[in-house]
Amino acid sequence: MGKLGGRVAVVTGGGSGVGKATAAAFLAEGARVVIAGRDAKRLNETAAELNGGGNLLVVPTDAADPNQAKALINQTLATFARIDVLVNNAGTNIKERTLRELTPEAWDMMVRVNMDSAFYCLHAVLPHMLEKQDGVIVNVVSVAGKRANPLGGAAYVAAKFGMGALGLVLGNEEKDSGVRVSNVYPGEIDTPILAARPRPVTEEQRAVILKPEDVANAVLFVATLPKHVSVPELVIKPTVQQYF
């Protein structure tokens, strides 16, 4: 039956990278999975590749829109009648990421996608989890949300710090309610977001950084712990990446 047999998980940013790998890992453990993202074509291609059948639902969603985030949760409940795990994985970055280059419009977009989307989704799912006194929210943050390295850019770093703080506050607020919150902070990962780097990433570097499956396994770990165990923060990085 698997570690997640009978459970339902919603994964934002589910069309590629960590979201896709997480969906695959959850399906393999018996979960019914909803993948959400802005690119409907990519989501459908991912669904065909994952071959989850009736255990996999595609819901095109811009989670940075509060109405669409709420609709995602409502559609999941209408289809599967429950949500046990929410994985807030939606994220993006841009090439023009220094403060000298940032525009107010780019700043707003980065904060909406990288932080606000997490709030909108957890805000929509929290009443359901509180009602059944059980649920796990996993925020896929970034080491940029722990260390303000200029590599990620000011807007990305600020949004990820905010996303991490949001998760920690919620976890503490709900410590007695049955709702657990885990922030997973990955280092460099070989995902499509690397295309937004100001300087291209070499094949040599790609070979030694994290793979999406590495982070998916970390998400799976915190999502399958018993109810009396919570991991507020988990940092996972390539061995070659410094962390200080």
Side-chain angles (χ1 to χ4, degrees):
M1 193 173 183
K3 296 178 180 178
L4 290 171
R7 293 181 175 265
V8 175
V10 176
V11 182
T12 65
S16 64
V18 171
K20 177 181 176 181
T22 299
F26 279 29
L27 285 167
E29 289 294 340
R32 289 169 290 173
V33 179
V34 179
I35 54 172
R38 291 177 293 178
D39 189 334
K41 181 175 182 291
R42 177 180 286 179
L43 284 174
N44 287 320
E45 290 171 349
T46 294
E49 185 178 337
L50 294 176
N51 194 28
N55 289 328
L56 182 62
L57 177 66
V58 170
V59 183
T61 303
D62 180 359
D65 178 335
N67 293 321
Q68 291 192 44
K70 186 173 182 179
L72 166 65
I73 299 305
N74 288 342
Q75 186 170 344
T76 301
L77 292 173
T79 304
F80 292 132
R82 62 185 294 160
I83 298 173
D84 301 283
V85 184
L86 167 67
V87 181
N88 280 318
N89 174 66
T92 193
N93 211 336
I94 53 177
K95 289 190 176 184
E96 300 77 21
R97 56 182 69 174
T98 67
L99 277 167
R100 293 187 182 191
E101 298 171 293
L102 273 175
T103 63
E105 294 76 17
W107 172 272
D108 288 345
M109 183 275 292
M110 290 289 291
V111 171
R112 283 199 312 274
V113 174
N114 291 295
M115 181 177 67
D116 292 353
S117 65
F119 169 75
Y120 296 145
C121 288
L122 68 83
H123 183 265
V125 81
L126 190 58
H128 169 72
M129 289 185 172
L130 290 175
E131 183 179 358
K132 64 190 187 75
Q133 298 184 338
D134 188 22
V136 178
I137 296 170
V138 184
N139 298 313
V140 181
V141 192
S142 168
V143 292
K146 298 289 286 182
R147 302 289 187 267
N149 189 315
L151 177 64
Y156 185 81
V157 169
K160 290 299 187 180
F161 262 82
M163 183 186 188
L166 175 66
L168 291 174
V169 169
L170 180 63
N172 281 308
E173 286 181 352
E174 299 301 338
K175 66 180 180 61
D176 300 316
S177 71
V179 177
R180 293 170 288 150
V181 185
S182 292
N183 291 341
V184 175
Y185 301 85
E188 289 189 280
I189 321 169
D190 186 7
T191 69
I193 200 172
L194 291 182
R197 284 279 180 89
R199 295 175 182 170
V201 178
T202 66
E203 290 303 314
E204 291 77 13
Q205 185 175 358
R206 286 180 183 271
V208 297
I209 60 179
L210 297 175
K211 301 298 179 282
E213 293 74 17
D214 300 324
V215 183
N217 286 333
V219 174
L220 180 65
F221 165 68
V222 299
T224 53
L225 290 168
K227 288 184 66 172
H228 68 282
V229 180
S230 175
V231 177
E233 298 186 290
L234 190 158
V235 175
I236 176 173
K237 71 171 189 66
T239 302
V240 298
Q241 183 178 355
Q242 289 182 315
Y243 184 78
F244 54 82

